[in-house]
């Protein structure tokens, strides 16, 4: 799928079929030891999803590679997997980068959050029409959080951030079957000192 940054498997490997929601894909690129990603870019930070990796260089510019099945590469379309780290189009410089299973978010030095991939329901962005699924953010898009953050963390279904030393989280489960409400605005986590 390209997330190793190499075009072909350097050693024979076992194929692994993964059923992911409504699609099944097969991974064949593997390495039993570290491989060098073919790029002149030197990274200061890395973040990954299930099938893609993004990194920041010293200036905060984002580069992504791997599978684009869930728009993880932020190219605005369902372009095929890319084994070469490619600059994220239209994104500002980030000081922090986080990934969850199918998308990424970046934090600017000014405290703004931008996200892309299969993340709109999680971070409160309006879903955009995509050919493969209906809950997508194909480009790095600013999250209207109503506050500035100093740090963020992304888990399966939730985005959390620190603002003025207070922890806020929002999002929810992909499935609402347990009765969990999906919170689309940053909500202060209970139990913190004022």
């Amino acid at each position: 799928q390209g997330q190793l940054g190499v075009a072909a498997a350097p050693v024979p490997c076992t194929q692994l079929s993964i059923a992911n929601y409504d699609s099944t894909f097969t991974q064949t690129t593997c390495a039993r030891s570290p491989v060098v990603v073919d790029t002149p870019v030197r990274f200061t930070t890395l973040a990954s999803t299930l099938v893609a990796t993004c990194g920041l260089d010293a200036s905060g510019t984002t580069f992504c590679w791997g599978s684009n099945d869930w728009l993880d590469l932020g190219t605005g379309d369902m372009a095929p997997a890319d084994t070469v780290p490619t600059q994220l189009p239209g994104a500002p410089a980030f000081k922090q980068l986080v990934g969850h299973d199918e998308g990424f978010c970046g934090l600017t030095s000014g405290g703004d959050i931008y996200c892309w991939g299969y993340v709109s329901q999680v971070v409160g962005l309006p879903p955009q029409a995509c050919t493969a699924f209906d809950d997508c953010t194909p480009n790095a898009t600013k999250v209207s959080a109503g506050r500035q953050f100093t740090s963020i963390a992304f888990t399966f279904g939730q985005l959390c951030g620190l603002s003025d030393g207070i922890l806020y989280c929002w999002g929810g489960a992909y499935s609402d079957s347990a009765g969990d409400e999906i919170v689309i605005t940053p909500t202060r986590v209970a139990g913190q000192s004022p």
Side-chain angles (χ1 to χ4, degrees):
Q1 297 278 345
Q3 59 267 43
L4 289 178
V6 295
V11 295
C13 59
T14 305
Q15 289 188 350
L16 172 65
S17 291
I18 300 172
N20 192 356
Y21 300 102
D22 296 328
S23 64
T24 300
F25 57 92
T26 302
Q27 294 179 302
T28 57
T29 303
C30 65
R32 299 192 196 295
S33 60
V35 295
V36 175
V37 175
D38 186 17
T39 179
V41 179
R42 294 296 168 244
F43 296 103
T44 59
T45 301
L46 295 173
S48 295
T49 65
L50 290 173
V51 296
T53 302
C54 289
L56 300 179
D57 70 6
S59 70
T61 302
T62 306
F63 295 83
C64 299
W65 65 97
S67 173
N68 200 29
D69 288 347
W70 299 101
L71 302 167
D72 298 40
L73 303 183
T75 57
D77 57 23
M78 297 291 288
D82 196 344
T83 59
V84 177
T86 304
Q87 186 173 341
L88 180 67
F94 296 126
K95 72 171 191 172
Q96 185 186 1
L97 188 64
V98 294
H100 81 115
D101 61 325
E102 294 157 350
F104 293 96
C105 290
L107 179 67
T108 68
S109 59
D112 294 321
I113 302 170
Y114 288 75
C115 299
W116 62 98
Y118 188 58
V119 297
S120 60
Q121 187 180 60
V122 176
V123 299
L125 290 169
Q128 300 180 32
C130 297
T131 56
F133 48 94
D134 62 359
D135 183 24
C136 71
T137 306
N139 301 99
T141 303
K142 185 176 178 180
V143 175
S144 297
R147 62 187 67 252
Q148 309 313 118
F149 292 89
T150 55
S151 179
I152 56 175
F154 216 165
T155 66
F156 183 79
Q158 288 187 326
L159 182 62
C160 295
L162 289 174
S163 178
D164 295 324
I166 304 294
L167 177 62
Y168 294 83
C169 293
W170 62 106
Y174 279 108
S175 171
D176 204 26
S177 59
D180 296 333
E181 182 179 340
I182 296 173
V183 179
I184 60 171
T185 58
T187 303
R188 183 179 169 142
V189 175
Q192 299 178 76
S193 299

